[in-house]
Amino acid sequence: MYKRQHQVFDRRLHRLRRDRSAASLRQVAPILEEAADRLLDRLDDFTLRFDHALDLGGRGVVAPRLRARGIGQVVSMDLSAALARQAGSLPVAGDEEWLPFAEGSFDLVVASLSLHWVNDLPGALVQIRRALRPDGLFLASVPALGTLQNLREALAAEEEALRGGVSPRVSPFPEVSDGAALLQRAGFALPVADAETLRLAYRSPLALLRDLRAAGETSAVLARDPRPVPRALFPAALARLAGEAPGDEPVPVTLRLLTLTGWAPAPSQQQPARPGSATVRLAEALGTEERGLGEATPGTPKR
């Protein structure tokens, strides 16, 4: 049994928003497809063949791409039953915080832009690792710190001016530097974390808000201010965003993607050498002369 961690997100509200987004995802399909393609391109770096894959929250764009790569069985799980059905594979309505799968069920788990609404991300990663067979691969992309930064700053500045305080209206995102540590903490072998940037441009800030709503990505932070939103907040914030783009230039929006790659441990994997087991001195391998601390290089005049 997993201990329930501190709650950051309203998971029920997030599920309702994902349910609603099932009818509007076509509006943001190009963005979701680009993110999925970038993530799944990582599979080309490996020679292993995958037969049983879990698509976590892929919103109908990941599962078809996995099947096109020759993966015979793809299970698509989503917090929203409607989105799970849209994937066109074996649908499962389930919670990423409580995976309903036995240990060793899959040799590949892919989570494209779906784990950033999880309250206990380390705990979810542990469950994902247990759902993998030995030497199974976990591949995920998560919005990282810096994503939607201009929207976050515009909303914060205008709310501070209107109310004298700020309520979180954009989801908190992890830092890129935390990625490998999260994987290691969850027990993954050979953890790798890196980041890339997906740059978008909108004709108006209002179009950005419409896309976030269409994708089911509007705020579900529990700490949000329960009071009605000031009527002037969003018009003022959008005007601030529009003012950052000179003339009639589109409004730039940055999605910073943290990519996580980790393997379920297996005896066949390459293991690090034991400390002190080296048989060649570093100086010998580098072809240099070893000297003690503070010892001058030959020919260097003393001061």
Side-chain angles (χ1 to χ4, degrees):
M1 179 68 68
Y2 291 93
K3 182 179 178 181
R4 179 67 74 175
Q5 300 295 313
H6 175 67
Q7 303 296 289
V8 179
F9 304 111
D10 184 334
R11 296 283 291 173
R12 177 182 174 277
L13 177 60
H14 180 54
R15 177 180 59 78
L16 291 174
R17 288 177 172 167
R18 287 182 77 86
D19 285 339
R20 183 182 62 195
S21 75
S24 57
L25 275 182
R26 187 176 303 174
Q27 179 177 322
V28 292
I31 300 172
L32 298 176
E33 290 168 356
E34 175 66 20
D37 286 338
R38 292 190 181 200
L39 180 62
L40 295 180
D41 280 348
R42 307 295 179 101
L43 293 176
D44 296 334
D45 298 335
F46 310 115
T47 57
L48 287 179
R49 176 182 172 83
F50 303 102
D51 299 312
H52 297 82
L54 173 62
D55 158 32
L56 272 180
R59 291 184 263 209
V61 301
V62 171
R65 285 163 167 74
L66 292 176
R67 291 194 298 271
R69 287 175 170 269
I71 298 178
Q73 185 181 78
V74 180
V75 175
S76 290
M77 196 195 91
D78 200 287
L79 190 62
S80 162
L83 289 183
R85 287 193 297 269
Q86 285 189 2
S89 54
L90 299 173
V92 174
D95 192 331
E96 301 94 339
E97 296 184 349
W98 306 98
L99 290 187
F101 304 109
E103 291 190 26
S105 296
F106 305 98
D107 48 27
L108 173 65
V109 175
V110 177
S112 180
L113 299 181
S114 62
L115 294 178
H116 53 292
W117 293 106
V118 172
N119 283 302
D120 179 16
L121 184 53
L125 293 178
V126 168
Q127 294 183 65
I128 290 170
R129 192 254 304 159
R130 290 180 177 174
L132 282 167
R133 298 170 183 172
D135 211 26
L137 174 64
F138 170 57
L139 197 57
S141 62
V142 182
L145 191 66
T147 294
L148 301 177
Q149 188 63 27
N150 54 349
L151 176 61
R152 186 193 304 273
E153 292 173 355
L155 287 169
E158 295 302 331
E159 188 164 19
E160 176 69 29
L162 289 169
R163 277 184 168 169
V166 175
S167 174
R169 299 192 182 278
V170 177
S171 176
F173 301 124
E175 295 192 40
V176 173
S177 58
D178 295 333
L182 281 169
L183 291 170
Q184 203 164 26
R185 177 179 171 184
F188 283 98
L190 309 174
V192 176
D194 59 79
E196 59 180 308
T197 300
L198 182 57
R199 301 189 187 280
L200 308 174
Y202 283 88
R203 292 182 179 177
S204 73
L206 184 58
L208 167 60
L209 295 189
R210 288 171 178 161
D211 269 9
L212 290 173
R213 181 182 176 88
E217 292 291 334
T218 48
S219 179
V221 179
L222 282 170
R224 64 190 184 278
D225 195 325
R227 295 176 295 174
V229 177
R231 183 174 298 178
L233 174 59
F234 281 97
L238 296 184
R240 178 184 286 264
L241 269 182
E244 294 177 358
D248 294 329
E249 292 293 317
V251 177
V253 174
T254 297
L255 299 184
R256 195 162 185 236
L257 305 181
L258 166 61
T259 301
L260 303 174
T261 306
W263 298 84
S268 59
Q269 289 168 348
Q270 187 176 6
Q271 303 295 321
R274 299 189 319 276
S277 62
T279 58
V280 179
R281 300 176 70 87
L282 179 61
E284 182 180 344
L286 296 177
T288 62
E289 182 181 349
E290 185 175 0
R291 288 180 293 275
L293 182 64
E295 187 177 344
T297 302
T300 302
K302 295 183 178 180
R303 295 186 177 182

